[in-house]
């Protein structure tokens, strides 16, 4: 099939490349001339394992092209995919200005029947607004569909090519048939539904996963007080098929482009229909507070933070991505510098993106994990990159001024810590705390 993908952000670029990999002819469109020029030259604006190679191979095969010419791309396509950004407004609502502008330009460009698919995450009812805008600017027939994406950064290509399910929301039999054919090479598990339900499925899915993360973090906080090990608790829970083991890793909370934005947007969607989503508000509150556990543990170990030097390993919100949107590292580092701390930070991929957003005289961005740790009073591990997981603890112990390790991602085991002198704190594993012992309160029966 012939596809035009409007928007070359994370969703648009990965989706377009993967559709080309399936043998479709794909034109990816963006207004940013510099971005398109780089893509045409084989440069990739985001870090995603395997993406650069797929762009090169499909461009060479003539199945993938990049352009700023939206009208030509739309006229050449059978299916037009909307994948522009829907960033959060200060209120938490999704900003639909890019969607509306793209819909207007698509309408003005139509020269015959097209299927217009929204992949961007949008509030319930948005696709109907898209259809109305397109109708205002064309005399040609078209159909609207919602096909939400469920990609995980760091494994987006595998998620696209091997999805758990495909959700297609449309009221058109023609669109339903053609979109099913487009996605059938990926999976037979295709859910056909109405447009509004498809829009809601995306928000509900992300909100539920965010809830699991905040829930296990609350359990971890209780574990620290009663002397239980959250990793064993999560393991026991995960064997229950009704619960499952995914998204039950305790840590410093979620970040990124989806969970923070989508939870806030769903709270606003509920508010607009006079419903208070109390559970999801608590999920967001728990997540915001969880990252400050790192600060509390530093204070418990170092006392007064002013004048101290703290190393930070990991700036991206998760490994295998350069995405720093709503990364916990922002608030943690900002709190540290506000407390008079000098921060020495390192991330193997996301450092440039992070430093553009947080430029402070007391934050030094280092060229290696070793350089960041050298001479620091404590080290905070905030992103579970393999490079950090495999760093020899014996070597780390000699680099730090004080052997203080705050492990925000539970990367190290009791066996690995044995024989070291680390003051070690993780999340929800009080039995692994070394150097500083906290007495669990007596339990009353």
């Amino acid at each position: 099939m012939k596809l035009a993908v409007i928007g070359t952000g994370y969703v648009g670029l990965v989706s377009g490349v993967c559709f080309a990999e399936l043998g479709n002819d794909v034109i990816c469109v963006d207004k940013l001339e510099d971005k398109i020029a780089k893509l045409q030259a084989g440069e990739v604006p985001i870090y995603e394992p395997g993406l650069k190679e797929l762009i090169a191979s499909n461009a060479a095969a003539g199945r993938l092209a990049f352009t700023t010419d939206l009208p030509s791309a739309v006229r050449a396509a059978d299916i037009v995919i909307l994948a522009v950004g829907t960033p959060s407004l200060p209120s938490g609502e999704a900003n639909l200005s890019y969607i509306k502008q793209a819909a207007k330009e698509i309408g003005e460009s139509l020269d015959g029947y097209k299927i217009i698919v929204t992949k961007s995450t949008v509030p319930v009812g948005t696709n109907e607004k898209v259809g109305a805008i397109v109708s205002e600017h064309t005399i040609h027939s078209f159909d609207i569909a919602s096909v939400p994406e469920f990609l995980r950064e760091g494994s987006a290509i595998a998620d696209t090519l091997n999805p758990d399910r495909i959700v297609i929301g449309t009221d058109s039999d023609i669109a339903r048939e053609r979109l099913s054919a487009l996605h059938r090479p990926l999976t037979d598990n295709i859910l056909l539904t109405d447009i509004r339900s498809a829009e809601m499925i995306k928000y509900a899915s992300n909100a539920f996963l965010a809830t699991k993360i905040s829930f296990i973090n609350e359990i971890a906080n209780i574990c620290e007080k009663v002397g239980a090990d959250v990793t064993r608790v999560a393991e026991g829970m995960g064997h229950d098929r009704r619960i499952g083991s995914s998204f039950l890793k305790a840590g410093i909370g979620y970040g990124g482009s989806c969970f923070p934005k989508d939870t806030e947007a769903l709270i606003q969607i509920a508010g607009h229909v006079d419903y208070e989503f109390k559970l999801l508000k608590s999920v967001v509150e728990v997540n915001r507070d969880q990252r400050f556990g790192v600060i509390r543990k530093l204070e418990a170990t170092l006392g007064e933070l002013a004048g101290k030097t703290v190393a930070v390993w990991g700036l991206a919100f998760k490994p295998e991505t350069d995405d720093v949107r709503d990364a916990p590292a922002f608030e943690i580092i900002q709190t540290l510098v506000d407390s008079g701390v000098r921060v020495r930070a390192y991330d193997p991929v996301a450092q440039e993106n992070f430093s553009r957003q947080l430029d402070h005289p007391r934050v030094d961005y280092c060229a290696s994990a070793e350089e960041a740790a050298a001479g620091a009073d404590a080290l905070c591990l905030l992103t579970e990159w393999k490079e950090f997981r495999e760093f020899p603890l014996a070597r780390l112990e000699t680099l730090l001024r004080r052997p203080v390790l705050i492990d925000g991602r539970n990367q190290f085991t009791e066996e690995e810590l044995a024989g070291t002198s680390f003051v070690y704190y993780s999340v929800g594993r009080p039995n692994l705390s070394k150097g500083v012992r906290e007495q669990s309160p007596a339990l009353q029966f």
Side-chain angles (χ1 to χ4, degrees), residues 389-406:
R389 175 70 185 81
E390 295 179 348
F391 198 96
L393 288 180
R395 173 60 179 157
L396 178 59
E397 191 176 5
T398 66
L399 289 170
L400 294 168
R401 181 182 295 126
R402 307 185 195 187
V404 177
L405 175 55
I406 312 296

Side-chain angles (χ1 to χ4, degrees), residues 312 314-316 322-325 327-331 333-334 345 347 349-359 363 365:
V312 170
L315 303 172
D322 61 352
D323 194 344
V324 298
R325 284 174 286 185
F330 278 114
E331 286 180 284
I333 292 176
Q334 188 63 59
D347 188 286
V349 170
Q351 195 153 293
E352 183 179 349
N353 287 347
F354 194 93
S355 63
R356 281 199 296 265
Q357 298 184 45
L358 202 164
D359 182 14
V363 179
Y365 293 100

Side-chain angles (χ1 to χ4, degrees), residues 35-298:
K35 189 177 188 181
I36 291 298
K38 288 180 178 179
L39 285 166
Q40 290 171 337
E43 297 180 39
V44 184
I46 59 174
Y47 178 83
E48 178 65 33
L51 184 59
K52 183 180 179 69
E53 293 77 9
L54 283 184
I55 288 176
S57 62
N58 283 283
R63 293 189 297 267
L64 180 65
F66 302 96
T67 184
T68 58
D69 187 351
L70 184 147
S72 293
V74 168
R75 287 193 288 268
D78 305 311
I79 298 172
V80 179
I81 298 174
L82 267 171
V84 298
T86 54
S88 295
L89 293 167
S91 64
E93 295 178 271
N95 182 347
L96 299 179
S97 60
Y98 302 114
I99 286 278
K100 293 177 179 177
Q101 180 61 30
K104 175 179 178 292
E105 294 180 23
I106 289 169
E108 293 170 344
S109 303
L110 291 184
D111 61 348
Y113 174 78
K114 311 285 181 184
I115 299 172
I116 301 171
V117 176
T118 302
K119 264 203 171 296
S120 305
T121 302
V122 294
V124 177
T126 299
N127 277 277
E128 294 168 16
K129 295 177 183 176
V130 168
I133 293 170
V134 174
S135 293
E136 290 175 9
H137 296 90
T138 188
I139 60 172
H140 298 286
S141 63
F142 62 91
D143 282 315
I144 295 290
S146 173
V147 183
E149 55 81 22
F150 300 96
L151 310 181
R152 296 169 298 170
E153 295 186 39
S155 59
I157 292 172
D159 290 345
T160 302
L161 296 177
N162 301 280
D164 293 329
R165 80 292 202 193
I166 295 294
V167 176
I168 299 173
T170 184
D171 299 324
S172 161
D173 291 336
I174 295 175
R176 191 177 296 116
E177 179 183 336
R178 293 186 184 177
L179 291 174
S180 295
L182 174 65
H183 290 91
R184 198 164 288 119
L186 301 173
T187 180
D188 290 329
N189 190 17
I190 297 175
L191 173 64
L192 302 175
T193 185
D194 61 280
I195 292 177
R196 289 196 167 213
S197 294
E199 292 169 329
M200 191 63 177
I201 286 168
K202 175 58 187 287
Y203 279 111
S205 297
N206 279 354
F208 183 76
L209 295 177
T211 300
K212 288 188 75 173
I213 294 170
S214 284
F215 178 84
I216 198 62
N217 281 334
E218 288 278 73
I219 294 297
N221 296 337
I222 297 172
C223 284
E224 290 185 4
K225 293 182 178 296
V226 302
D229 186 333
V230 72
T231 58
R232 303 308 303 270
V233 173
E235 181 184 4
M237 292 171 60
H239 283 292
D240 189 325
R241 285 175 293 181
R242 297 170 301 174
I243 298 172
S245 60
S246 63
F247 291 85
L248 286 181
K249 289 185 178 180
I252 55 175
Y254 58 77
S257 62
C258 291
F259 288 180
K261 177 172 70 72
D262 293 352
T263 49
E264 291 284 3
L266 186 51
I267 289 169
Q268 293 299 318
I269 291 169
H272 286 320
V273 292
D274 197 28
Y275 185 84
E276 184 181 5
F277 204 150
K278 295 178 182 179
L279 174 61
L280 197 54
K281 286 182 177 180
S282 295
V283 167
V284 172
E285 182 182 351
V286 167
N287 190 65
R288 285 173 177 161
D289 185 65
Q290 187 68 16
R291 54 197 63 182
F292 294 110
V294 170
I295 306 296
R296 292 189 285 268
K297 287 168 182 174
L298 280 173

